[in-house]
């Protein structure tokens, strides 16, 4: 089975996105593209997505987190974007929100998968505590994974450090892990204790990885070759 890789297209520059797509095609890997707030909010971002090749797997990383009615309206407003396969929501939005989002998604597009985001990979135990949480990252992620499962979500977004634990709870769900770096790359704003290499992420049970700056900064063609090699 080919490994699924989501390249995070974190830019507002359409030419940069076209370049990322053109330079990252691979025969061994299933390369897909993730678009987040930066691109989606940009002037031409949304219409670019609506015109993308239907064969591409698009991951829209909007990390919804609001009252159920607002989230459902947001999901409904994506109705025209038929090529989106994945959409993210924050699990800490709660059971009601997650349930209603899943129901709304099913109505607008049967193929749209809803992924629950656990503790962001930029967090450390210390920074989590500052937000008022008393649990450790590990325990909070376990709790959130159970909540996502009971809410009927299709997958979980977590650090690959927690993927093994999450897999025990979410056996048949997708486990998608950001916070990925190729050897020697700077962790930047990600937390150094939650960053993992592509190979280790898959070994830990990730069904797909998300990788951004390790591929999109510098020489994209060389970076993708480095990624392919690292997974051999
Ligand atoms: O450049 P880098 O590989 O760090 O990008 C990671 C991508 O994954 C970003 O687009 C970020 O928004 C997203 N993400 C994350 N941590 C999460 C969920 C999503 O870094 N927990």
């Amino acid at each position: 089975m080919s490994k699924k890789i989501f390249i995070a297209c974190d830019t507002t520059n359409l030419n940069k996105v076209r370049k990322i797509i053109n330079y990252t095609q691979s025969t061994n890997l299933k390369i897909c593209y993730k678009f987040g707030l930066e691109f989606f909010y940009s002037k031409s971002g949304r219409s670019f997505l609506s015109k993308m090749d239907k064969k591409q797997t698009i991951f829209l990383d909007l990390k919804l987190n609001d009252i159920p009615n607002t989230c459902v309206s947001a999901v409904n407003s994506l109705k025209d974007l038929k090529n989106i396969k994945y959409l993210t929501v924050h699990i800490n939005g709660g059971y009601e929100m997650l349930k209603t989002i899943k129901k709304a998604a099913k109505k607008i597009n049967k193929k749209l998968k809803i992924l629950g985001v656990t503790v962001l990979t930029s967090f450390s135990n210390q920074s989590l505590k500052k937000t008022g949480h008393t649990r450790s990252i590990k325990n909070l992620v376990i709790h959130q994974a159970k909540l996502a499962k009971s809410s009927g979500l299709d997958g979980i977004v977590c650090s690959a450090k927690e993927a093994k634990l999450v897999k025990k709870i979410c056996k048949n769900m997708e486990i998608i892990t950001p916070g990925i770096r190729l050897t020697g790359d700077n962790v930047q704003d990600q937390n150094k204790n939650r960053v993992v290499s592509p190979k280790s992420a898959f070994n830990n049970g990730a069904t797909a990885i998300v990788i951004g700056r390790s591929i999109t900064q510098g020489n994209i063609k060389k970076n993708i070759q480095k990624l392919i090699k690292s997974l051999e």
Side-chain angles (χ1 to χ4, degrees):
M1 196 181 79
S2 65
K3 294 186 166 76
K4 206 190 288 174
I5 318 276
F6 288 102
I7 312 265
C9 301
D10 291 328
T11 175
T12 56
N13 183 331
L14 298 186
N15 282 335
K16 175 88 191 254
V17 173
R18 288 188 192 104
K19 205 167 159 182
I20 293 170
I21 296 173
N22 286 338
Y23 289 3
T24 56
Q25 302 299 320
S26 154
T27 47
N28 302 331
L29 306 171
K30 184 166 171 45
I31 304 275
C32 315
Y33 301 94
K34 182 182 90 71
F35 298 91
L37 300 177
E38 181 181 352
F39 189 74
F40 195 71
Y41 286 161
S42 69
K43 205 168 175 205
S44 317
R46 196 189 196 286
S47 67
F48 181 91
L49 292 185
S50 68
K51 289 179 209 128
M52 259 180 87
D53 188 338
K54 299 277 177 291
K55 280 182 268 170
Q56 299 282 13
T57 300
I58 300 176
F59 177 163
L60 190 54
D61 189 13
L62 297 185
K63 297 191 180 74
L64 299 177
N65 190 2
D66 211 316
I67 60 171
N69 182 60
T70 304
C71 285
V72 166
S73 305
V75 170
N76 288 339
S77 77
L78 299 171
K79 203 174 175 175
D80 58 306
L81 297 177
K82 296 284 181 217
N83 49 353
I84 295 172
K85 301 273 167 39
Y86 296 91
L87 176 69
T88 50
V89 302
H90 271 292
I91 297 172
N92 62 18
Y95 183 76
E96 288 305 325
M97 184 197 89
L98 300 174
K99 273 280 237 210
T100 42
I101 286 181
K102 178 63 197 162
K103 204 170 148 193
K106 215 172 172 179
K107 269 193 198 159
I108 65 154
N109 177 356
K110 281 199 173 58
K111 284 187 184 148
L112 177 59
K113 291 188 175 183
I114 302 295
L115 306 174
V117 176
T118 60
V119 181
L120 295 170
T121 42
S122 53
F123 270 89
S124 63
N125 275 315
Q126 232 177 357
S127 54
L128 182 68
K129 206 171 168 190
K130 281 190 186 155
T131 67
H133 280 286
T134 50
R135 289 174 201 255
S136 64
I137 291 178
K138 190 178 110 183
N139 288 336
L140 184 55
V141 170
I142 289 173
H143 185 87
Q144 290 177 329
K146 287 177 183 164
L147 180 58
K149 191 180 177 192
S150 66
S151 311
L153 298 197
D154 303 289
I156 304 286
V157 178
C158 62
S159 155
K161 290 268 165 96
E162 295 115 34
K164 268 187 195 156
L165 289 169
V166 169
K167 205 164 187 83
K168 280 188 192 157
I169 301 158
C170 304
K171 289 188 185 76
N172 300 317
M173 291 165 70
E174 298 212 28
I175 299 172
I176 300 183
T177 63
I180 302 293
R181 286 292 179 274
L182 296 173
T183 315
D185 285 354
N186 196 322
V187 299
Q188 288 143 317
D189 59 335
Q190 300 285 13
N191 183 268
K192 65 177 188 318
N193 296 317
R194 299 181 71 220
V195 162
V196 171
S197 72
K199 197 166 192 165
S200 304
F202 284 114
N203 288 342
N204 286 355
T207 56
I209 61 169
V210 170
I211 183 164
R213 288 162 288 185
S214 265
I215 300 295
T216 59
Q217 283 187 353
N219 187 321
I220 300 173
K221 281 184 182 169
K222 272 193 186 154
N223 294 341
I224 201 78
Q225 289 312 316
K226 199 173 158 191
L227 170 67
I228 293 169
K229 232 179 154 38
S230 81
L231 285 167
E232 279 169 1

